[in-house]
Amino acid sequence: MLPQSHAFKSGARIALGNQPLQKALGFMKTTGFPAKRLAAVQRLPEFEALREEGRTIKDRTLKHLDFYLETFEANVIATGGHVHWCRTAAEACETILKICRALDAKTVTKGKSMVAEEIALNEYLEKHGITPVETDLGEYIIQLRHEPPSHIIAPAIHLVKEQVAETFRAAHTDRDPDRPLNDGRILCDEARAELRQKFLAADVGITGANFLIAETGSSIIVTNEGNGDLTQTLTKAHIVVASLEKVVPTLEDASTILRLLARSATGQEFSTYTTVSTGPRRAEDTDGPGEYHVVLLDNGRTSMLGTEFQDMLRCIRCGACMNHCPVYQSVGGHAYGWVYPGPMGSVLTPTLVGIQEAGHLPNASTFCGKCESVCPMKIPLPKMMRHWREAEFARDLSPAVARRGLAVWAFLAKHPTLYRMLASAAIRLLALAGGRRGRFRTLPLAGGWTSVRDMPVPEGRTFHSLWASGKGRGTR
Amino acid sequence: MSGRDQILAGIRRSLNRGALDEATVATLRGGLAAPRRNLIPARATILDAEGRAALFRSMAEEVAATVEPIATLDAVPAAVADYLARLNLPPTVVAAPDPQLAAIPWDKRPLLTVRQGRVEDADPVAVTACFAGIAETGTLMLLSGPESPTRNNFLPDTHIVVMRKSQIVGTYEEAWTKLRARHGAGNWTMPRTVNFITGPSRTADIEQRVELGAHGPRRLHIILVEDGDGASQG
């Protein structure tokens, strides 16, 4: 999909007025993921220590990333598979098409993969005559609706069940149009029946990877539905599309991070299915894919190494940062305008599509710090959003009014006497203008603030003058 | 320069160094040859065999699996038939061609139809063995192979797993150690697929509410055999 991140502000405004979206996002605050995560974390006394372990494993791997990727490749080849190194999204799409064509594939089933979204694989395959079928329930729903995912682990989290029912009624035209579709159970069963036929008919199965294991040349996927397993078991070839920072050294290292992943994502102790795939089916096996391909994508990641954004390469795509973000909880994922929403998207999207396109995203944060505090890999997300704001400023990309305002403020901050004089004059003026109403509904130059909330009228004196008179220092 | 070489060169440039020297590579190789365990939660490591079995059971039941302890392997046919009868399911199962499942005296229950082999789409019930149970999260570990086709774990509506109590280990790390020792030290290979299964298939993709049976089995029933010579892969 073409990035629409430049339209964040209008997207957010529309989202705030979208009733079904607000209802769907409301589940996040009640029965949804954050409460479940908290319960799971409280049950594991070692959780904090494991976060530190996870960070160490990833940092250690990134330091020797070339070694681990080369070793991974050698072990994939040794077990009969293939590794395709792709610098860009276009190279990855071409590679996958070539593999599909060589097998004369007409349809491919897909497990949920954010990297496949990143490279816009579905559009590419469709354009070249191959039908991709999303099999994760959430991905299936949004594929039918021609929408992008709004969350990295729950792609249809922006919808309520009535909208899913409408979608199924419109798509599954062979079924009785008057059938009841009023609860999750029925919807789930209908999708199961529809997709079962697709699994059995598909030629190629494409999944992502949560981990690549250097030691064994394996890929690991983590799912709850079992769709990723049917995708890779029943087809002629299993194609894994993964970005290169997914590699970890050993099965033990993956196990440590797996203890963090499900708990942080959905609050589960462990996901229902954790599947380790190594090579194609063995000669004596009676099922499994005949070919195993790993499409290893860079797409700008190697240039994040060694920069202030390197820590982002630790991300395991659990979604905890967005689940807990007050901005995401209010506007949902689509407003962010590309594949990765929420705080992790606000850091990653500018690196992948450019700060010019995605400049609003690192600014769409209150810096409350919740994202960093729940991140299982301890990624300093607010700090990196700050780096983006600095980069934006340095490249003259921020709005002229903000830049001039900052320049004025900087001048005053360097001239404290003038600052105090002006501040106390401004406060007195505002107090006078505000009178007894206690709040302003509109203020010149502050329309961005007062269009959605009132501005309190300042009372009394400035902080500086209170401090100077001793009243700001408490009673001790 | 190929894409591969460009990516590797890019990594080295970003890390501000050249190719790794031989001593470093040797050290890193050593780390992969003898994988080190990281911090392991105490939950399962402090338990004895009985404690592990109890933890396995409670964790598995928490995620909607059912666990049925039985005394000996001879009792498996009755346990399977009664389980299916309780749920009004047809008494027809496909058993994985595992030699140790074949050792079960299936003919003790004449009304239970057992076919050996790979399941096809319409088969409602699969019975499989497993390689290990992992107590810390109530997780089953199954390995693919000619005696255990992977699809048997996913296509049927009902998956019944026969596991010996002594197959239960505490942690994922212990399960990897057991796998690495399968064919003797230094002589191990990964099977095509290792499935860790924790409860029946589920989804929370509609309004964050959990529904069971998304694409995989709707029911996971674990028959836990007390004696020491039950079903086991590998």
Side-chain angles (χ1 to χ4, degrees):
Chain A
M1 73 185 273
L2 277 179
Q4 300 294 323
S5 304
H6 59 271
F8 176 82
K9 286 190 173 181
S10 58
R13 202 167 299 126
I14 293 165
L16 288 168
N18 178 336
Q19 292 303 321
L21 172 68
Q22 291 301 323
K23 185 184 171 201
L25 290 171
F27 296 118
M28 198 80 100
K29 295 168 200 158
T30 53
T31 52
F33 296 140
K36 289 176 181 158
R37 174 196 170 274
L38 185 63
V41 166
Q42 286 174 343
R43 233 178 129 180
L44 190 70
E46 293 90 347
F47 191 83
E48 269 313 300
L50 285 170
R51 287 176 77 205
E52 199 52 48
E53 296 268 305
R55 164 158 79 175
T56 309
I57 291 166
K58 282 280 190 175
D59 283 348
R60 192 154 44 81
T61 313
L62 291 172
K63 196 173 156 204
H64 298 121
L65 187 59
D66 47 348
F67 168 80
Y68 288 114
L69 288 173
E70 285 183 280
T71 308
F72 170 75
E73 179 193 37
N75 285 323
V76 171
I77 294 169
T79 47
H82 307 270
V83 176
H84 310 269
W85 302 69
C86 298
R87 286 163 296 186
T88 61
E91 282 185 10
C93 284
E94 286 158 24
T95 303
I96 292 166
L97 180 65
K98 216 180 285 175
I99 300 167
C100 291
R101 288 234 165 113
L103 289 160
D104 201 21
K106 303 285 184 292
T107 66
V108 304
T109 41
K110 284 181 68 208
K112 196 178 77 60
S113 154
M114 291 315 294
V115 172
E117 296 284 348
E118 180 183 326
I119 64 174
L121 180 61
N122 285 359
E123 288 98 312
Y124 185 85
L125 290 176
E126 275 167 9
K127 209 169 75 188
H128 291 86
I130 291 172
T131 309
V133 180
E134 294 289 353
T135 62
D136 170 83
L137 178 59
E139 283 282 343
Y140 177 66
I141 294 166
I142 62 166
Q143 188 184 28
L144 292 178
R145 294 172 65 91
H146 308 287
E147 286 176 356
S150 68
H151 190 285
I152 61 171
I153 66 159
I157 202 166
H158 57 288
L159 299 173
V160 292
K161 60 178 187 292
E162 290 76 16
Q163 293 171 298
V164 179
E166 264 168 49
T167 305
F168 281 10
R169 228 181 274 286
H172 305 155
T173 46
D174 295 350
R175 293 171 183 264
D176 175 6
D178 299 322
R179 67 196 183 281
L181 283 174
N182 52 355
D183 79 27
R185 175 75 263 154
I186 297 172
L187 293 165
C188 189
D189 282 343
E190 183 163 317
R192 178 185 173 103
E194 291 285 331
L195 284 164
R196 185 53 72 95
Q197 296 318 310
K198 313 268 191 200
F199 281 123
L200 296 163
D203 302 300
V204 168
I206 301 176
T207 70
N210 294 88
F211 303 94
L212 304 172
I213 312 293
E215 173 202 2
T216 55
S218 312
S219 55
I220 297 185
I221 59 167
V222 175
T223 73
N224 282 311
E225 299 184 5
N227 62 312
D229 292 281
L230 291 172
T231 293
Q232 63 173 279
T233 303
L234 302 177
T235 44
K236 289 185 236 173
H238 176 198
I239 303 177
V240 179
V241 46
S243 51
L244 42 75
E245 83 282 8
K246 293 284 190 293
V247 73
V248 294
T250 65
L251 294 165
E252 277 73 3
D253 292 330
S255 303
T256 299
I257 301 176
L258 281 165
R259 288 196 180 94
L260 294 162
L261 178 56
R263 290 182 174 95
S264 298
T266 56
Q268 287 172 284
E269 289 280 321
F270 210 48
S271 297
T272 306
Y273 301 115
T274 298
T275 300
V276 189
S277 310
T278 314
R281 68 196 276 179
R282 310 295 184 249
E284 64 277 17
D285 286 351
T286 56
D287 74 349
E291 293 181 17
Y292 176 73
H293 297 268
V294 180
V295 174
L296 199 57
L297 178 73
D298 182 349
N299 210 22
R301 284 160 177 86
T302 52
S303 55
M304 291 164 74
L305 276 175
T307 71
E308 62 267 57
F309 299 111
Q310 173 170 322
D311 291 341
M312 194 60 215
L313 296 173
R314 290 203 301 267
C315 178
I316 56 173
R317 306 289 192 266
C318 69
C321 61
M322 57 197 77
N323 294 343
H324 292 79
C325 174
V327 178
Y328 180 94
Q329 285 183 355
S330 303
V331 303
H334 285 158
Y336 290 80
W338 202 53
V339 178
Y340 301 107
M344 59 78 71
S346 296
V347 173
L348 195 58
T349 304
T351 68
L352 299 179
V353 306
I355 186 66
Q356 195 134 19
E357 166 67 32
H360 286 315
L361 305 189
N363 287 290
S365 166
T366 62
F367 283 167
C368 71
K370 191 75 187 167
C371 51
E372 183 174 357
S373 75
V374 297
C375 175
M377 305 309 287
K378 292 193 161 185
I379 299 171
L381 291 157
K383 190 179 96 183
M384 285 188 285
M385 283 186 253
R386 229 168 3 243
H387 285 316
W388 273 126
R389 292 186 188 185
E390 285 159 18
E392 201 188 20
F393 190 83
R395 279 182 235 173
D396 283 354
L397 290 172
S398 41
V401 175
R403 303 174 65 76
R404 260 180 255 131
L406 269 177
V408 169
W409 183 85
F411 174 81
L412 292 174
K414 280 184 253 171
H415 299 83
T417 318
L418 192 60
Y419 185 103
R420 269 173 235 160
M421 265 171 60
L422 284 175
S424 80
I427 276 187
R428 261 176 281 155
L429 196 67
L430 282 173
L432 206 64
R436 262 176 290 166
R437 276 166 308 177
R439 63 202 152 86
F440 292 104
R441 291 192 173 218
T442 55
L443 264 184
L445 297 176
W449 175 282
T450 54
S451 68
V452 284
R453 36 186 149 19
D454 293 342
M455 174 82 176
V457 170
E459 286 176 17
R461 299 152 63 185
T462 64
F463 176 75
H464 271 129
S465 80
L466 281 174
W467 184 266
S469 67
K471 284 187 182 165
R473 285 176 226 198
T475 49
R476 272 190 294 171
Chain B
M1 206 163 161
S2 69
R4 174 186 191 277
D5 292 342
Q6 279 193 25
I7 289 171
L8 290 170
I11 291 170
R12 287 166 192 145
R13 199 168 44 243
S14 292
L15 292 172
N16 210 8
R17 62 163 170 77
L20 292 167
D21 60 74
E22 275 176 37
T24 310
V25 169
T27 311
L28 296 175
R29 284 226 176 93
L32 296 186
R36 212 174 38 112
R37 291 180 177 185
N38 305 301
L39 173 79
I40 297 176
R43 182 192 284 179
T45 57
I46 55 174
L47 301 171
D48 60 7
E50 283 303 316
R52 282 197 298 274
L55 179 61
F56 175 89
R57 182 174 180 177
S58 72
M59 294 306 289
E61 287 175 344
E62 204 174 279
V63 290
T66 45
V67 181
E68 179 179 355
I70 60 170
T72 64
L73 211 54
D74 288 356
V76 169
V80 169
D82 293 346
Y83 170 75
L84 297 176
R86 277 201 298 281
L87 293 169
N88 277 329
L89 295 169
T92 306
V93 305
V94 177
D98 188 295
Q100 295 175 77
L101 282 185
I104 293 171
W106 292 111
D107 52 359
K108 278 177 103 177
R109 277 297 279 247
L111 288 179
L112 186 68
T113 311
V114 181
R115 194 186 87 232
Q116 259 209 2
R118 202 180 88 163
V119 301
E120 299 309 330
D121 179 41
D123 291 323
V125 184
V127 179
T128 73
C130 70
F131 177 70
I134 299 166
E136 68 171 301
T137 45
T139 301
L140 296 163
M141 181 185 192
L142 286 82
L143 312 181
S144 66
E147 70 290 346
S148 54
T150 303
R151 68 180 59 193
N152 291 30
N153 311 336
F154 291 96
L155 276 179
D157 273 9
T158 304
H159 184 195
I160 300 175
V161 179
V162 180
M163 178 170 70
R164 206 167 68 232
K165 204 160 147 192
S166 60
Q167 285 178 280
I168 299 177
V169 299
T171 63
Y172 315 126
E173 285 81 353
E174 289 167 60
W176 292 128
T177 301
K178 188 175 160 175
L179 177 64
R180 289 191 172 107
R182 190 165 62 131
H183 298 307
N187 187 29
W188 76 289
T189 53
M190 287 290 281
R192 150 64 204 171
T193 309
V194 179
N195 290 124
F196 293 97
I197 298 177
T198 313
S201 162
R202 69 199 58 213
T203 181
D205 273 353
I206 299 175
E207 297 187 348
Q208 299 177 55
R209 282 172 56 105
V210 174
E211 297 288 349
L212 297 183
H215 291 296
R218 299 167 191 273
R219 288 169 287 270
L220 176 66
H221 187 60
I222 302 164
I223 296 178
L224 193 55
V225 185
E226 287 282 342
D227 73 359
D229 53 333
S232 144
Q233 293 179 354

